[in-house]
Structures are given as C-alpha cells and as structure tokens.
Amino acid sequence: MGRLRRSRAHHARRDVQRGARTRVRTRDLDMIQLIDLDPKNRAALEAQAIDYEKPGLAQHYCVECAKYFETDAALQSHWRSKVHKRRLKQLREPAYTIEESERAAGLGRENRRPQTVSSTTMETDMMGTA
C-alpha cells in the first residue's frame, strides 16, 4: 500500500483563518454597553417579532452576548455557562472611550504644551510701550 495523499481542502486560499475569525463575530462590548443595555433597547431586543431568518425565530436572544438560540432550554443553559458569566464580568467594566484612546496616544489635554505668547507679539508689545 502506498502513502495516503494529503487533503488539499485549502489549496491556494490564503485567508482561511480570517474567514473563520469573522464568521461567528458578535457585537463588541462597547456597542452592547452603550446601545443594547439601555432599558428601552433591551426590552425591544428581548421581545422581537418572529423572524424566519434567525435561529429560533429570534425568540430566544441573549442581550449581553448578542446571540440567538434555538430553544428556551438552550438559552437557560447559556445563562448558567462560564461564557455568559465571563461576558457579564467584562460588561461591568466601563467602555473604552475615544477620549481615553487619545490620552493613551498622547493627544489628551493634559499632555499639551501650555499656550505661550509668540516672540513677535512680545516684541511689538515692548516697542509699543517704549
């Protein structure tokens, strides 16, 4: 018997990993904190109309994880899981804002140089008073 040939399922496809990464991508934490956890939006997400395109007809939705589930039992077991509890812990921390990122990059107000009077205006002021 000879050697078995390798499976070439991903031949000439360079972005296999990227395709796998983006396939199951959910909403980011800051979007969930700012939009979904608002009481009005949360009530609307929990009581969605029937949608035939979504799993479980969009009737079983976890707002914190931004995921749809097939059955109510699956949603209940998800609420008891480590994945859901870890997401709750992440959502308790405040969202990373644009101002924080600018301060981290050195663009915040506290890192700017104080406004100084330019030398040309100082010379004209001195000449005018003499």
Side-chain angles (χ1 to χ4, degrees):
M1 231 175 153
R3 189 174 145 196
L4 291 176
R5 187 172 144 272
R6 244 181 7 157
S7 157
R8 294 184 183 154
H10 303 300
H11 181 68
R13 282 189 58 198
R14 297 179 66 204
D15 294 334
V16 173
Q17 286 90 6
R18 185 180 63 170
R21 266 196 324 261
T22 58
R23 188 177 315 130
V24 235
R25 183 162 169 78
T26 59
R27 296 178 66 119
D28 291 325
L29 291 173
D30 56 346
M31 293 175 69
I32 292 172
Q33 282 180 342
L34 298 175
I35 299 170
D36 293 350
L37 293 181
D38 184 40
K40 293 184 294 184
N41 295 338
R42 184 183 183 110
L45 285 172
E46 288 175 347
Q48 293 183 27
I50 292 178
D51 186 2
Y52 293 102
E53 300 294 321
K54 295 185 178 154
L57 302 176
Q59 298 301 300
H60 313 287
Y61 183 72
C62 177
V63 178
E64 290 86 5
C65 299
K67 288 184 180 179
Y68 291 96
F69 293 93
E70 287 288 328
T71 62
D72 192 43
L75 179 62
Q76 298 290 330
S77 67
H78 166 75
W79 283 340
R80 291 187 303 269
S81 70
K82 280 187 178 181
V83 176
H84 180 74
K85 291 176 184 177
R86 194 178 308 134
R87 177 57 70 101
L88 288 177
K89 190 174 181 181
Q90 289 172 342
L91 287 172
R92 278 189 218 117
E93 297 176 9
Y96 192 68
T97 61
I98 295 172
E99 291 81 22
E100 271 185 277
S101 64
E102 288 176 349
R103 274 189 263 134
L107 301 174
R109 290 184 184 170
E110 63 274 347
N111 290 338
R112 290 187 183 164
R113 293 184 191 162
Q115 294 290 337
T116 59
V117 182
S118 65
S119 59
T120 56
T121 57
M122 287 178 65
E123 292 173 5
T124 55
D125 288 343
M126 289 182 166
M127 290 182 171
T129 59

